[in-house]
Amino acid sequence: MAQWLDVYPHEVHASVILKNEKINMWKIGERKLSGSYKIDDLKTQHPEYSYHEKTWVVNNRDEHQAVFDTHAQEWYRQWQHVDEFEGFHAYKVEDGDNK
């Protein structure tokens, strides 16, 4: 049976949980963060959190890779990372970037 990655077209999702409008957690792939976390409960119980997602439909391996290498990183750039962020950043942080 073919894997998701090898069947085209398919969707690639980018999702982000923000804390005070800064990236707290992010994910790119077949599944969204909303599949693993109770986003509505999080936002209700902690109003400082918000959630956003974006989806790309890709038709080949190059388009798929471009979501990871370029498109999602550009989308994430609209937010900074929280000061206490741990792990890999959602986009390449360059000199002059604020986290």
Side-chain angles (χ1 to χ4, degrees):
M1 179 179 217
Q3 293 186 13
W4 160 80
L5 181 64
D6 299 321
V7 177
Y8 294 98
H10 65 248
E11 295 180 341
V12 180
H13 308 285
S15 51
V16 63
I17 297 174
L18 304 176
K19 180 179 180 185
N20 297 318
E21 293 304 309
K22 292 185 177 183
I23 296 172
N24 189 61
M25 185 177 295
W26 62 278
K27 177 177 178 39
I28 306 171
E30 178 181 17
R31 294 181 177 86
K32 305 171 188 175
L33 285 170
S34 60
S36 300
Y37 295 91
K38 295 181 179 180
I39 300 300
D40 290 336
D41 290 347
L42 175 68
K43 293 188 309 185
T44 300
Q45 296 172 14
H46 302 278
E48 69 273 20
Y49 285 92
S50 60
Y51 176 78
H52 302 276
E53 59 187 43
K54 184 169 178 77
T55 299
W56 292 266
V57 176
V58 297
N59 297 297
N60 57 53
R61 185 173 294 225
D62 291 337
E63 290 180 8
H64 176 96
Q65 194 60 45
V67 172
F68 287 84
D69 294 341
T70 305
H71 305 310
Q73 289 191 40
E74 290 174 359
W75 182 69
Y76 286 126
R77 278 193 174 280
Q78 64 187 300
W79 303 289
Q80 295 179 351
H81 294 84
V82 293
D83 293 335
E84 63 276 8
F85 187 83
E86 296 181 14
F88 294 102
H89 286 93
Y91 51 85
K92 184 178 178 185
V93 177
E94 300 180 20
D95 293 338
D97 283 347
N98 295 340
K99 302 219 182 262

